[in-house]
Amino acid sequence: MVGFRPADVPPTAAVKFVGAGTAACIADLFTFPLDTAKVRLQIQGESKATCPNVKSVKYSGVFGTITTMVRTEGPRSLYNGLVAGLQRQMSFASVRIGLYDSVKQFYTKGAEHAGIGSRLLAGCTTGALAVAVAQPTDVVKVRFQAQASAANGNRRYQGTMHAYRTIAKEEGVKGLWKGTAPNIARNAIVNCTELVTYDLIKDALLRHTSMSDNLPCHFTSAFGAGFCTTVIASPVDVVKTRYMNSALGQYRSALYCALSMLTKEGPMAFYKGFMPSFLRLGSWNVVMFVTYEQLKRAMMAARHNWASPL
């Protein structure tokens, strides 16, 4: 057996809630540079589409983007928006991942085996609920990741709290909830694909292979979930990033943003940043799910030892 053994008692909802948020924060610490590179690649072409005379193409590929950012802005630029990102994960992942099993049991009315429909409903529910809670943190994270560090030190936002205040002051409170509709759509898709795929792959591996419920099984399931999620969710993710980062009045709606991308940049614009998206989601899923599974077991073991010290 690799890692902590499965607990005799299933983890409680509170353990899953805290464990999911903590695991997601750990995964973000490892993969945040890839997420920042993804955002930069996704918004690339925006200024070119609106101002054709401006030369805007400056990033090429995942590692080219990271190298360019380190050279022109310094290594810290790769972690722009990290504070907001951790705030987002603690509130976001706790809900969408930590409550998934509880909501799934609610839809199946406690049945031992959940069907694909119940899993999809649970994924949609927790994904939408998580967006309702964490949307402002996502807006601030994207804005930070998108802004390049100017040579003269002038930046749109000087800190996380400054970003919250500036957005609320300049765009109103609704500015902090900008892109909620595409984000709900994205996260319903991401949550369903990510959690349901992980669930199904893990079940299949346990039933049809010699793997047991340990680290290799968790790793394989998480990697497969990351790839499937990237393929399905990338177009919505690009539109969400563009719309969240847009200037006030640039796009009338998320749908208008998508149509503008299609007409001015072509259909492949919806898959800008695909490679960093896959590298980030694949690695994020592996770190998050492996950490989450181990945290649940460690927390339940600690809970058992605390309750029965002798």
Side-chain angles (χ1 to χ4, degrees), residues 53-298:
N53 295 327
V54 177
K55 185 179 179 181
S56 60
V57 178
K58 87 186 265 192
Y59 303 118
S60 177
V62 186
F63 299 108
T65 300
I66 291 174
T67 302
T68 300
M69 289 180 65
V70 170
R71 187 179 67 251
T72 59
E73 304 172 48
R76 292 182 62 183
S77 65
L78 297 174
Y79 283 90
N80 281 348
L82 178 63
V83 173
L86 295 179
Q87 291 173 349
R88 173 183 181 269
Q89 291 299 355
M90 207 61 219
S91 56
F92 185 73
S94 297
V95 174
R96 78 176 186 91
I97 298 171
L99 298 183
Y100 171 75
D101 286 334
S102 298
V103 175
K104 183 173 66 175
Q105 288 174 2
F106 171 78
Y107 283 125
T108 58
K109 295 179 170 53
E112 186 176 347
H113 297 293
I116 185 69
S118 300
R119 298 183 202 225
L120 290 172
L121 276 173
C124 286
T125 302
T126 58
L129 184 59
V131 172
V133 172
Q135 180 69 8
T137 62
D138 205 9
V139 172
V140 171
K141 178 185 81 77
V142 167
R143 296 282 183 93
F144 260 106
Q145 289 176 311
Q147 73 174 1
S149 300
N152 59 6
N154 292 328
R155 301 180 62 173
R156 189 178 183 185
Y157 308 115
Q158 303 304 319
T160 305
M161 296 311 297
H162 178 254
Y164 284 117
R165 289 194 301 267
T166 302
I167 293 171
K169 182 179 178 181
E170 295 179 353
E171 304 175 39
V173 176
K174 67 178 183 179
L176 291 169
W177 300 91
K178 189 173 188 177
T180 300
N183 210 15
I184 286 177
R186 174 195 179 268
N187 282 292
I189 294 170
V190 166
N191 219 37
C192 284
T193 310
E194 193 174 79
L195 295 179
V196 173
T197 304
Y198 179 81
D199 237 0
L200 293 173
I201 294 174
K202 183 180 173 183
D203 282 354
L205 290 173
L206 293 176
R207 288 183 183 183
H208 304 297
T209 72
S210 59
M211 281 188 177
S212 56
D213 191 3
N214 56 18
L215 286 176
C217 176
H218 303 157
F219 181 95
T220 306
S221 304
F223 188 82
F227 178 76
C228 294
T229 303
T230 309
V231 171
I232 293 173
S234 189
V236 183
D237 190 34
V238 175
V239 173
K240 181 213 77 167
T241 299
R242 289 282 188 97
Y243 188 63
M244 280 184 177
N245 186 59
S246 63
L248 187 63
Q250 183 177 348
Y251 301 118
R252 291 195 298 269
S253 65
L255 180 59
Y256 179 80
C257 177
L259 291 173
S260 178
M261 285 174 56
L262 181 63
T263 55
K264 295 177 180 177
E265 301 173 59
M268 290 308 295
F270 293 101
Y271 280 92
K272 280 191 172 183
F274 179 84
M275 188 52 67
S277 288
F278 171 59
L279 289 175
R280 190 256 174 183
L281 263 179
S283 56
W284 191 91
N285 270 270
V286 168
V287 176
M288 197 286 299
F289 277 114
V290 169
T291 305
Y292 178 45
E293 296 276 11
Q294 294 303 305
L295 275 175
K296 286 191 295 183
R297 295 175 182 185

Side-chain angles (χ1 to χ4, degrees), residues 3-15:
F4 287 101
R5 298 179 62 184
D8 294 329
V9 180
T12 63
V15 165

